[in-house]
Amino acid sequence: MTTQAEHRRTDGVAPSGAGDAGGVATRLLPSATPIRFLDDTGGTAPESARGGYEMPPTEMLVEAYRRMVLGRRFDAQATALTKQGRLAVYPSSHGQEACQIGGVLVLRDTDWMFPTYRESMALVARGIDPVEALTLLRGDWHCGYDPVATRTAPQCTPLATQSPHAVGLAYAARRRGEDTVALVYVGDGGTSEGDFHEALNFAGVFKAPVVFLVQNNRYAISVPLAKQTAAPALAYRGVGYGIRSEQVDGNDPIAVLSVLRHAVESARSGAGPFLVEAHTYRVEAHTNADDASRYRDAAEVAAWEGRDPLTRLETHLLAVGALSDEDIGAARQEAEAFAGRLRTRMNEDPDVDPRSLFVNVFAEPTPQLREQREWLEEELGAEDSRGGGEH
Amino acid sequence: MTTQAEHRRTDGVAPSGAGDAGGVATRLLPSATPIRFLDDTGGTAPESARGGYEMPPTEMLVEAYRRMVLGRRFDAQATALTKQGRLAVYPSSHGQEACQIGGVLVLRDTDWMFPTYRESMALVARGIDPVEALTLLRGDWHCGYDPVATRTAPQCTPLATQSPHAVGLAYAARRRGEDTVALVYVGDGGTSEGDFHEALNFAGVFKAPVVFLVQNNRYAISVPLAKQTAAPALAYRGVGYGIRSEQVDGNDPIAVLSVLRHAVESARSGAGPFLVEAHTYRVEAHTNADDASRYRDAAEVAAWEGRDPLTRLETHLLAVGALSDEDIGAARQEAEAFAGRLRTRMNEDPDVDPRSLFVNVFAEPTPQLREQREWLEEELGAEDSRGGGEH
Amino acid sequence: MATTLAQALNAALRDALHQDDSVVVFGEDVGTLGGVFRITDGLAGDLGEDRCFDTPLAESGIVGFALGMAMNGFRPVVEMQFDAFAYPAFEQLVSHAARMRNRTRGAVGVPMVVRVPYGGGIGGVEHHSDSSEAYYVHTPGLKVATPATVADAYSLLREAIADPDPVVFLEPKKLYWSKADVDLPVTTAPFGTAEVRRHGTDATLIAYGPALPVALAAAEAAAADGHDIEVLDLRTLVPFDDETVAASVRKTGRCVVVQEAAGFAGVGAEVAARVQERCFHSLHAPVLRVSGFDIPYPPPIVEKYHLPDVDRVLDAVARLQWDDEPDRRHLTRVPA
Amino acid sequence: MATTLAQALNAALRDALHQDDSVVVFGEDVGTLGGVFRITDGLAGDLGEDRCFDTPLAESGIVGFALGMAMNGFRPVVEMQFDAFAYPAFEQLVSHAARMRNRTRGAVGVPMVVRVPYGGGIGGVEHHSDSSEAYYVHTPGLKVATPATVADAYSLLREAIADPDPVVFLEPKKLYWSKADVDLPVTTAPFGTAEVRRHGTDATLIAYGPALPVALAAAEAAAADGHDIEVLDLRTLVPFDDETVAASVRKTGRCVVVQEAAGFAGVGAEVAARVQERCFHSLHAPVLRVSGFDIPYPPPIVEKYHLPDVDRVLDAVARLQWDDEPDRRHLTRVPA
Ligand SMILES: Cc1ncc(C[n+]2csc(CCOP(=O)(O)OP(=O)(O)O)c2C)c(N)n1
Ligand SMILES: Cc1ncc(C[n+]2csc(CCOP(=O)(O)OP(=O)(O)O)c2C)c(N)n1
Ligand SMILES: [Mg+2]
Ligand SMILES: [Mg+2]
């Protein structure tokens, strides 16, 4: 198996053109079955399933566990906040914790992350203030955190459109001699968009240090994977762009960490982009506003809950003695406290100055925007003098 | 080799999802090297290079030869017409005759073809009046032939954007129980566009009877293939969509016919779409307006001229006794006569009634268009009464 | 019986599917789910998955695929899930759908409807509230319809589906749950006809889609100030009903156009330009516009400051120079 | 020394590349070939392939990649090969480039220039002659510049590259080969400033980009008829110079806008709407528009019937109610 791992780690990008394709193509193809370290319930999977990937250090697994516990609690809290009218909408990543946390843990602070609307949990794991992370979904602004300070792009809503940004940003860093890697999250549905393909192709051509992490959670809202693509697996997209690819059990936190670490370090080393498909499952509805019972069975959900990433990791860490019941209790307590603080802070009404509508359209407002702001000022002034009240 | 051919012909489309990917993916992959029947100079390539594909019937090869001779002469005539100011622009397909003619010969009359601006030769081979085929490039209208009557879509300029049309049209036919196949021409450059990818994916999901013929002529205007993609070969795009794929020596007319026949009949049989990459070369500049010396060597062109598809086929047909010197003379004479008639007809100035600007914007003109046509009428009337003259 | 605008759209699709085998409905989540706004609710179940189905998530692909089907005997009705998610299909709409008939000298028409839930006011996060009509109306070869009433939702959508040309059908999503007592099927005035929704003599308010209720409410409020206001609903932006518009403004001599979209080069600009071209000598004041600001659509918490409301329309009405006083807004240059 | 507009653009790129290491130029065929219009001629050779390079053929990818670079310290200048080939990038422009600064409360600005050769009159086949400016100007967050003179080509492009925000830079391709004696580098008036290209007192012609020479020629011709016409060149459409425009029309009392693009909801509509809002009491006649028809851009042989020309502008000037006669065009409804 070391051999396979060795050749996976081989640098050098596929030459283009006819004739010599065979060998190169084979090297780019993913494993025929998803990489896994753990079986469905957290026992050890057969060595062969690891595809030569390395077991990550135990501390990393423990840290992942802690953040997954916190992430799941955060996620539940956010869903609860929608019911209390404190969030406009919330897309849960319950069940996808391995990818949410894994994608964060493999990155350095200097690396960039490109999340979608579903990655609120990843944002929090990355250390972003949870209130700032939820700004978009609360509706007080489109992005609550500073992308530059956090090296985290705004959560992207138009599917896959953040992919070329990640490629451009990573390429820019590499031009300056920095060793920055950009990791971009895309959903299974998002892979159908033209921008995903264009980004893969640009990344291949410019050897940009980008890791494309496809969270294949088997649904795009209500549309199941089978209607999304006829591909044997989405990881097979990579070879057509000269991009090394892998598929991984996305509910196996160890496998996700192992493969992503390899992918990120491969990209960092100058070997070009990497495409990782993580097979996972969206346990909740698309968002709180969605009714998943319209398009899928409870039995299907239950089956996937049997492969819960958090349980699997916990079982494993307990088994290998890396985690004690006290550790579990402490992690849960930390998560509870985190959720409590968040709840309190989210109970305050956000305050947005209407004048801010005009502030950051351009670095300097145009005369037209100054004029329009003046009109709004007049209205607000008139209201104030009438003693306020709703606009 | 029969085995390989057998399994290539296997119907059934890849199931989606994880786990079972390996076998399916392998079946979808193209041959590691381009399929060929002929060596570079028209001798017989080793049997193994055929990848199990069948030799087409000799009559088909002879017919291909005849049309290639005619096509090349037509192409030269069109280039000459640009020098005489009779065409606004002409993108030559000199050197790509195997694909131009091959793509036509494998189709039935009831099948549809989706050409680009480069396929004027294919249009003529399909039996479209050459003056109608050149209407776009002469500039009297955007499309000179009737797409419905000829089952040939308008030549498409925005790259790859015709691909989803082909998929929709073919799917529509299949829904009605017709056995129509749509063959869509795309260039190597065009494969980088998002629409190409979206079309492949739709075709895979809807099992649309479409053959994607990528004429990889190694340049997109001045941009060489190596800057276009890092893919080992463009044919490797197919597997990521569950689409069977093949790569073929695009200057070997026998290989092109053989692979395309197989692809078209596979699609017709209900086995879903097929992606064929033909490795060929654009011998002339991008169009008459382009100066290819700015970006490529004469030596490179000369090397490819040594693999001229017409010469290779001629050599082969002479060697197997399927063609005589008289046949060659007759084919050339026919081509000459064809070119002569075209020249004469193209020397007439086209006449387009300015009022036609308003006719086919909608089936029924809006009041606004009627009004605007009236304004133009007034101008034309005023001109007429002033005794005509340039507008 | 009270019918919502959403139900009327659903009924129109259903009836069209029943009556014409060539009609097919597809897009993202329109099949099993019935669409995120439930406009296609029940269609896949009742008419079959071949008549109403889900596609891969790719708007350019959806529109291009629809165009291919339209070339081959079908009448596809596709849904773009939200206004801003139609942008990836821009090329297919502008360079193909809009041009195919013209390109082929009439040989290939592409009867297809692109349904776009549009506009704001529903508390949607970024990209869920754009008013994108100006992009489409400026594109020759596209028809653009936008109902504001329940009856029009049904009738205009049926007409769009029957139309031989591509129609961008803009559905004001904040009116999806508005109700009216309408017996379906119903046939209202055809494409290219504006409707006088309120008769009046002193000024003309011109609106369409989501802005119509705002205009009507403003007219009611203005009545209290003694202004008798006429309200027009454009219904289709292309074709445009110059006759009804000009007749009204010639009668009233004053005109305000209301739209949600950013003002600059929006539909309101076209209406203002046309009105002053055609009614110059009847106008007692410039044609004024009430519109969204020239800013990216703001987040939910502040969208109310962006959207035209009754007060802003009333303010514009007040600036119609009733005492022959020029508009103070443009008298002096505004601030630095 | 006579310089062409194309050469001025090339010089602007070259000087910007020399003076600022963060400037990069890329797109389809801009590297080795120097662009199909040779605007980037010699840049890759002289400044290195890392400063000016070819990309894969994918406009959305190009704009998205540029945006990513702009997020990370670069100032990309990208070329869309022709107007209509920018449409696949629409989503990236409208939903991302235009919104990134606003989205991030100013934390992430994206200084980038999207160069688009636009307009007709060069005998181009389908998709090579669109006037797409209205799509961009209607999109809040984009600046839109379009030079009509050689000096402006240089200066506005330099300013666009230096701008902290995304600029759609529309190059009138039929003026690429127009010449003027200009010493480069040159600095002309900044963004947001219209220029009076010809002084006059009787009417104001407003134009931009490819229509400016038509307007100037018409003004010359009108002089023969005794009309002394002022001609304004807008130069940037966003920001818009209301002051210069309003000052001119208040002086002349008559106004015609000239553009190549289809008229409906085009820039001319906005100009007409603004002018009548701001100058109502100075106007002796409605603001008239001379524009392309509302049709897909026609093929080369008949494009001359579509494009505004001197005669059409003169006809509009003649309809400016010099004798207080209302415009005959709109007096009665036109035909069935
Ligand atoms: C371009 C675009 N089209 C449509 C949508 C509407 N939409 C939001 S989420 C979603 C499904 C996305 O599925 P997937 O990519 O699998 O991500 P997931 O939600 O499962 O994480 C859709 C269709 C969108 N946001 N952007
Ligand atoms: C969407 C789009 N972008 C850019 C162009 C301009 N353009 C015309 S041909 C061409 C190169 C196409 O290369 P390829 O697809 O390889 O086809 P070939 O010309 O070699 O047959 C380009 C960039 C276009 N026609 N469409
Ligand atoms: Mg998903
Ligand atoms: Mg090519």
Side-chain angles (χ1 to χ4, degrees):
Chain A
M1 278 303 107
T2 333
T3 339
Q4 200 180 339
E6 274 329 272
H7 99 229
R8 271 180 209 292
R9 273 182 225 104
T10 306
D11 288 357
V13 152
S16 309
D20 61 349
V24 174
T26 313
R27 215 159 64 231
L28 300 171
L29 288 170
S31 156
T33 53
I35 301 297
R36 30 163 51 191
F37 283 62
L38 298 177
D39 67 19
D40 276 3
T41 53
T44 305
E47 175 83 14
S48 64
R50 297 188 182 183
Y53 286 91
E54 264 175 39
M55 174 65 87
T58 307
E59 317 81 78
M60 192 177 205
L61 300 182
V62 173
E63 180 61 18
Y65 173 78
R66 202 183 60 76
R67 297 208 205 181
M68 283 171 68
V69 170
L70 193 136
R72 178 163 296 181
R73 184 63 190 88
F74 161 78
D75 190 81
Q77 186 57 58
T79 296
L81 286 166
T82 62
K83 301 206 173 97
Q84 292 140 31
R86 288 291 169 185
L87 284 182
V89 64
Y90 183 71
S92 165
S93 44
H94 185 115
Q96 302 179 213
E97 288 85 357
C99 299
Q100 294 290 309
I101 308 302
V104 169
L105 281 185
V106 297
L107 296 183
R108 300 184 187 164
D109 272 359
T110 47
D111 291 335
W112 272 74
M113 191 170 98
F114 283 77
T116 79
Y117 51 87
R118 195 166 300 288
E119 271 67 65
S120 301
M121 191 192 292
L123 297 183
V124 169
R126 190 141 166 90
I128 291 173
D129 179 314
V131 174
E132 292 185 3
L134 290 173
T135 296
L136 168 72
L137 302 171
R138 175 153 73 165
D140 34 325
W141 204 259
H142 311 301
C143 178
Y145 50 91
D146 179 336
V148 179
T150 58
R151 267 86 56 214
T152 306
Q155 283 179 286
C156 186
T157 300
L159 296 160
T161 56
Q162 76 280 22
S163 317
H165 309 165
V167 180
L169 180 137
Y171 169 74
R174 186 161 155 271
R175 274 178 72 114
R176 275 199 304 264
E178 297 162 9
D179 66 358
T180 312
V181 172
L183 183 143
V184 54
Y185 281 96
V186 184
D188 47 316
T191 64
S192 295
E193 291 282 1
D195 271 14
F196 180 65
H197 144 97
E198 297 190 11
L200 286 176
N201 195 41
F202 270 68
V205 167
F206 291 106
K207 283 186 85 175
V210 179
V211 175
F212 298 91
L213 172 53
V214 175
Q215 278 181 103
N216 175 357
N217 64 6
R218 303 195 76 83
Y219 285 92
I221 307 186
S222 70
V223 179
L225 189 63
K227 291 186 182 176
Q228 197 63 248
T229 184
L234 290 165
Y236 284 93
R237 292 274 162 86
V239 60
Y241 304 94
I243 294 184
R244 285 169 311 154
S245 315
E246 194 52 275
Q247 53 178 331
V248 58
D249 179 339
N251 280 19
D252 176 348
I254 304 182
V256 169
L257 279 168
S258 175
V259 169
L260 284 181
R261 274 179 93 200
H262 173 65
V264 165
E265 294 317 319
S266 161
R268 195 186 310 286
S269 75
F274 214 112
L275 169 66
V276 177
E277 178 188 15
H279 297 275
T280 181
Y281 193 76
R282 197 196 73 211
V283 170
E284 300 290 331
H286 174 67
T287 69
N288 57 294
D290 178 37
D291 173 6
S293 71
R294 291 176 72 102
Y295 53 82
R296 70 183 184 187
D297 287 347
E300 182 186 295
V301 181
W304 276 92
E305 282 184 312
R307 275 167 252 164
D308 180 57
L310 188 48
T311 312
R312 282 165 81 179
L313 184 57
E314 191 176 284
T315 305
H316 170 79
L317 291 176
L318 283 171
V320 300
L323 201 69
S324 66
D325 284 347
E326 292 77 66
D327 295 336
I328 296 178
R332 289 192 186 156
Q333 226 170 342
E334 182 197 359
E336 209 48 57
F338 184 90
R341 286 193 302 277
L342 175 60
R343 206 166 40 233
T344 311
R345 291 177 65 201
M346 292 295 285
N347 273 329
E348 286 160 32
D349 282 321
D351 188 30
V352 183
D353 181 353
R355 290 158 195 86
S356 65
L357 294 186
F358 297 99
V359 180
N360 289 306
V361 180
F362 298 108
E364 284 296 323
T366 60
Q368 286 69 41
L369 287 173
R370 285 203 300 271
E371 184 177 71
Q372 291 170 25
R373 191 190 55 203
E374 196 68 17
W375 300 342
L376 180 63
E377 296 274 12
E378 278 172 34
E379 286 182 6
L380 296 170
E383 263 172 37
D384 286 353
S385 65
R386 279 201 309 268
E390 273 294 89
H391 168 81
Chain B
M1 280 303 108
T2 334
T3 337
Q4 200 180 340
E6 272 330 270
H7 99 231
R8 270 180 209 294
R9 273 184 223 103
T10 305
D11 288 358
V13 151
S16 310
D20 61 349
V24 173
T26 314
R27 215 160 64 232
L28 299 170
L29 288 170
S31 157
T33 51
I35 302 296
R36 30 163 52 190
F37 283 63
L38 298 177
D39 68 19
D40 276 2
T41 52
T44 305
E47 176 82 14
S48 63
R50 296 188 183 184
Y53 286 90
E54 263 174 39
M55 175 64 89
T58 307
E59 316 81 76
M60 191 177 205
L61 301 181
V62 173
E63 181 60 20
Y65 174 78
R66 201 183 61 78
R67 296 208 207 180
M68 285 171 68
V69 170
L70 192 136
R72 177 163 295 181
R73 185 61 192 86
F74 161 79
D75 189 82
Q77 185 58 57
T79 297
L81 286 166
T82 62
K83 302 205 173 96
Q84 291 140 33
R86 287 293 171 184
L87 284 182
V89 64
Y90 184 72
S92 164
S93 44
H94 184 116
Q96 302 179 213
E97 288 85 357
C99 298
Q100 294 289 310
I101 308 302
V104 169
L105 281 186
V106 296
L107 296 182
R108 299 185 186 163
D109 272 0
T110 48
D111 292 334
W112 273 74
M113 191 170 99
F114 283 76
T116 79
Y117 52 87
R118 194 165 303 286
E119 271 67 66
S120 301
M121 191 193 291
L123 296 184
V124 169
R126 188 138 167 93
I128 290 172
D129 179 313
V131 173
E132 292 185 3
L134 291 173
T135 296
L136 168 73
L137 302 170
R138 176 154 72 167
D140 33 328
W141 204 260
H142 311 299
C143 178
Y145 49 91
D146 179 336
V148 179
T150 58
R151 266 86 55 211
T152 306
Q155 284 178 286
C156 187
T157 300
L159 296 160
T161 57
Q162 77 279 21
S163 317
H165 309 166
V167 180
L169 180 138
Y171 169 74
R174 186 162 154 271
R175 274 177 72 112
R176 276 199 303 266
E178 296 163 9
D179 67 357
T180 311
V181 173
L183 183 143
V184 53
Y185 281 96
V186 183
D188 47 317
T191 65
S192 296
E193 291 282 2
D195 272 13
F196 181 64
H197 145 95
E198 298 190 10
L200 286 177
N201 195 40
F202 270 67
V205 167
F206 291 106
K207 283 188 83 173
V210 178
V211 174
F212 297 91
L213 172 53
V214 175
Q215 280 181 102
N216 175 356
N217 64 8
R218 303 193 77 82
Y219 285 93
I221 307 186
S222 71
V223 179
L225 188 63
K227 292 187 182 175
Q228 198 62 248
T229 185
L234 291 166
Y236 284 92
R237 292 273 162 86
V239 61
Y241 305 94
I243 294 184
R244 286 168 310 153
S245 314
E246 195 51 275
Q247 54 177 332
V248 57
D249 179 339
N251 280 16
D252 175 348
I254 302 181
V256 170
L257 279 168
S258 175
V259 170
L260 285 181
R261 274 179 91 200
H262 172 64
V264 166
E265 294 316 318
S266 162
R268 196 186 310 285
S269 75
F274 215 112
L275 169 65
V276 176
E277 178 189 17
H279 297 275
T280 181
Y281 193 77
R282 197 197 71 210
V283 170
E284 300 290 331
H286 174 67
T287 67
N288 56 294
D290 177 39
D291 173 7
S293 72
R294 289 176 74 102
Y295 52 83
R296 71 181 186 188
D297 285 348
E300 181 185 296
V301 182
W304 277 91
E305 282 183 311
R307 277 167 250 164
D308 180 58
L310 188 47
T311 313
R312 282 165 82 180
L313 184 58
E314 190 174 285
T315 305
H316 170 79
L317 290 177
L318 284 170
V320 300
L323 201 68
S324 65
D325 285 347
E326 292 78 66
D327 295 335
I328 296 176
R332 292 190 183 156
Q333 223 170 344
E334 183 197 359
E336 209 48 57
F338 183 90
R341 283 194 303 276
L342 175 59
R343 204 164 45 233
T344 311
R345 291 177 62 203
M346 292 294 287
N347 273 330
E348 286 160 31
D349 283 322
D351 188 28
V352 183
D353 181 353
R355 289 158 194 87
S356 65
L357 294 187
F358 298 98
V359 181
N360 289 306
V361 180
F362 297 109
E364 283 297 322
T366 61
Q368 286 69 40
L369 287 172
R370 286 202 300 271
E371 185 178 69
Q372 292 170 26
R373 189 190 57 204
E374 197 69 15
W375 300 341
L376 180 63
E377 295 274 10
E378 278 172 32
E379 285 181 10
L380 296 170
E383 263 173 35
D384 284 354
S385 66
R386 281 202 306 269
E390 272 294 88
H391 169 84
Chain C
M1 206 202 66
T3 305
T4 65
L5 193 139
Q7 286 165 341
L9 294 168
N10 181 273
L13 292 171
R14 185 180 293 270
D15 292 352
L17 284 163
H18 271 297
Q19 284 169 33
D20 182 349
D21 277 352
S22 69
V23 175
V24 281
V25 172
F26 54 88
E28 297 159 7
D29 302 291
V30 300
T32 314
L33 182 64
V36 296
F37 290 107
R38 304 290 186 268
I39 305 302
T40 57
D41 191 22
L43 301 182
D46 298 346
L47 284 122
E49 297 222 351
D50 58 330
R51 305 297 304 286
C52 175
F53 53 92
D54 295 324
T55 63
L57 212 168
E59 292 76 12
S60 186
I62 291 170
V63 173
F65 183 80
L67 192 147
M69 289 190 77
M71 286 177 74
N72 202 359
F74 284 84
R75 290 182 174 269
V77 183
V78 304
E79 176 174 303
M80 303 279 100
Q81 202 161 85
F82 283 84
D83 27 63
F85 306 142
Y87 301 150
F90 199 67
E91 154 71 22
Q92 284 291 344
L93 270 171
V94 169
S95 282
H96 285 304
R99 307 188 57 128
M100 192 56 85
R101 177 184 297 281
N102 186 252
R103 175 183 296 153
T104 61
R105 288 186 174 125
V108 183
V110 284
M112 55 192 275
V113 179
V114 179
R115 295 181 38 242
V116 185
Y118 85 121
I122 59 154
V125 299
E126 204 189 358
H127 307 292
H128 290 78
S129 301
D130 280 14
S131 287
S132 39
E133 65 270 24
Y135 300 133
Y136 306 118
V137 302
H138 182 62
T139 304
L142 297 179
K143 292 187 181 171
V144 182
T146 179
T149 68
V150 175
D152 270 354
Y154 182 91
S155 186
L156 290 176
L157 183 50
R158 290 300 303 270
E159 189 173 348
I161 297 171
D163 199 281
D165 287 302
V167 179
V168 176
F169 194 83
L170 298 168
E171 303 172 359
K173 62 175 95 81
K174 86 168 171 207
L175 302 184
Y176 271 149
W177 305 279
S178 65
K179 281 186 187 166
D181 281 318
V182 179
D183 283 325
L184 301 180
V186 65
T187 304
T188 62
F191 273 32
T193 318
E195 282 285 2
V196 181
R197 297 290 183 202
R198 187 184 195 283
H199 290 274
T201 51
D202 296 349
T204 303
L205 284 181
I206 301 180
Y208 57 90
L212 182 68
V214 177
L216 283 168
E220 288 308 315
D225 299 347
H227 292 312
D228 181 20
I229 308 248
E230 183 143 304
V231 179
L232 301 193
D233 175 3
L234 292 176
R235 303 173 70 251
T236 61
L237 306 177
V238 178
F240 188 88
D241 184 353
D242 278 313
E243 275 184 78
T244 303
V245 168
S248 175
V249 180
R250 285 192 187 125
K251 179 180 71 177
T252 63
R254 289 180 167 83
C255 178
V256 175
V257 199
V258 190
Q259 70 181 35
E260 274 196 16
F264 204 86
V267 169
E270 178 63 33
V271 176
R274 297 183 92 74
V275 166
Q276 59 91 39
E277 278 161 4
R278 284 160 179 75
C279 315
F280 186 73
H281 293 279
S282 312
L283 283 171
H284 303 302
V287 181
L288 297 184
R289 293 179 285 168
V290 178
S291 73
F293 296 122
D294 293 320
I295 61 173
Y297 195 89
I301 287 181
V302 281
E303 68 179 332
K304 65 183 172 211
Y305 298 105
H306 176 66
L307 291 172
D309 63 3
V310 169
D311 284 346
R312 276 191 199 151
V313 178
L314 288 176
D315 180 59
V317 169
R319 288 188 288 113
L320 286 173
Q321 313 191 5
W322 301 94
D323 316 309
D324 267 338
E325 267 188 31
D327 187 352
R328 66 182 150 72
R329 238 186 211 184
H330 299 298
L331 259 191
T332 48
R333 285 288 307 151
V334 209
Chain D
M1 205 204 65
T3 306
T4 65
L5 193 140
Q7 285 165 341
L9 294 169
N10 180 273
L13 292 171
R14 182 180 296 269
D15 292 352
L17 283 163
H18 271 297
Q19 284 169 35
D20 182 349
D21 276 352
S22 69
V23 175
V24 280
V25 172
F26 54 88
E28 298 159 7
D29 301 292
V30 300
T32 316
L33 182 64
V36 295
F37 290 107
R38 303 291 185 268
I39 305 302
T40 57
D41 192 21
L43 302 182
D46 297 346
L47 285 121
E49 297 223 352
D50 59 330
R51 304 296 306 285
C52 176
F53 51 92
D54 295 323
T55 64
L57 210 167
E59 293 76 12
S60 186
I62 291 170
V63 172
F65 183 81
L67 192 147
M69 289 190 78
M71 287 177 73
N72 202 357
F74 284 84
R75 293 184 173 268
V77 183
V78 303
E79 175 174 305
M80 303 280 100
Q81 200 160 82
F82 282 84
D83 28 62
F85 306 143
Y87 301 149
F90 199 67
E91 153 73 21
Q92 284 291 343
L93 271 169
V94 170
S95 283
H96 286 303
R99 306 188 59 129
M100 193 55 87
R101 176 184 297 282
N102 187 253
R103 176 181 298 153
T104 61
R105 290 185 173 126
V108 183
V110 284
M112 54 191 275
V113 179
V114 179
R115 295 180 38 241
V116 185
Y118 84 121
I122 60 153
V125 298
E126 205 189 357
H127 308 290
H128 290 77
S129 301
D130 279 14
S131 287
S132 39
E133 64 271 24
Y135 300 133
Y136 306 118
V137 301
H138 182 62
T139 304
L142 297 179
K143 293 188 180 171
V144 182
T146 179
T149 69
V150 175
D152 270 353
Y154 182 90
S155 186
L156 290 176
L157 183 50
R158 289 302 302 271
E159 190 173 348
I161 297 171
D163 199 281
D165 287 302
V167 179
V168 177
F169 194 83
L170 298 168
E171 303 172 358
K173 63 176 93 81
K174 86 169 173 208
L175 302 184
Y176 273 148
W177 305 281
S178 65
K179 281 187 186 163
D181 281 318
V182 178
D183 283 324
L184 301 181
V186 66
T187 304
T188 61
F191 273 32
T193 318
E195 283 284 3
V196 181
R197 296 291 182 204
R198 185 183 196 283
H199 290 273
T201 51
D202 296 349
T204 304
L205 284 182
I206 301 180
Y208 57 89
L212 181 69
V214 177
L216 283 169
E220 289 307 316
D225 299 346
H227 293 310
D228 181 19
I229 308 249
E230 183 144 303
V231 179
L232 301 194
D233 174 2
L234 293 176
R235 302 175 67 253
T236 60
L237 306 177
V238 179
F240 188 87
D241 184 353
D242 277 313
E243 277 185 78
T244 304
V245 168
S248 175
V249 179
R250 285 192 187 124
K251 176 180 74 178
T252 63
R254 289 181 168 83
C255 178
V256 175
V257 200
V258 190
Q259 72 182 32
E260 273 195 16
F264 203 86
V267 169
E270 179 62 35
V271 176
R274 297 184 91 75
V275 166
Q276 60 91 39
E277 278 161 3
R278 284 161 179 74
C279 315
F280 186 73
H281 293 279
S282 312
L283 282 172
H284 303 305
V287 182
L288 296 184
R289 294 179 285 168
V290 178
S291 73
F293 297 121
D294 292 319
I295 60 173
Y297 196 90
I301 287 181
V302 281
E303 67 179 332
K304 64 184 172 208
Y305 298 105
H306 176 65
L307 291 172
D309 63 3
V310 169
D311 283 346
R312 276 190 200 151
V313 178
L314 289 176
D315 180 57
V317 169
R319 288 188 288 112
L320 286 173
Q321 313 191 7
W322 302 93
D323 315 309
D324 267 336
E325 267 189 32
D327 187 351
R328 66 181 151 70
R329 239 187 210 183
H330 299 299
L331 260 191
T332 49
R333 287 287 309 148
V334 210

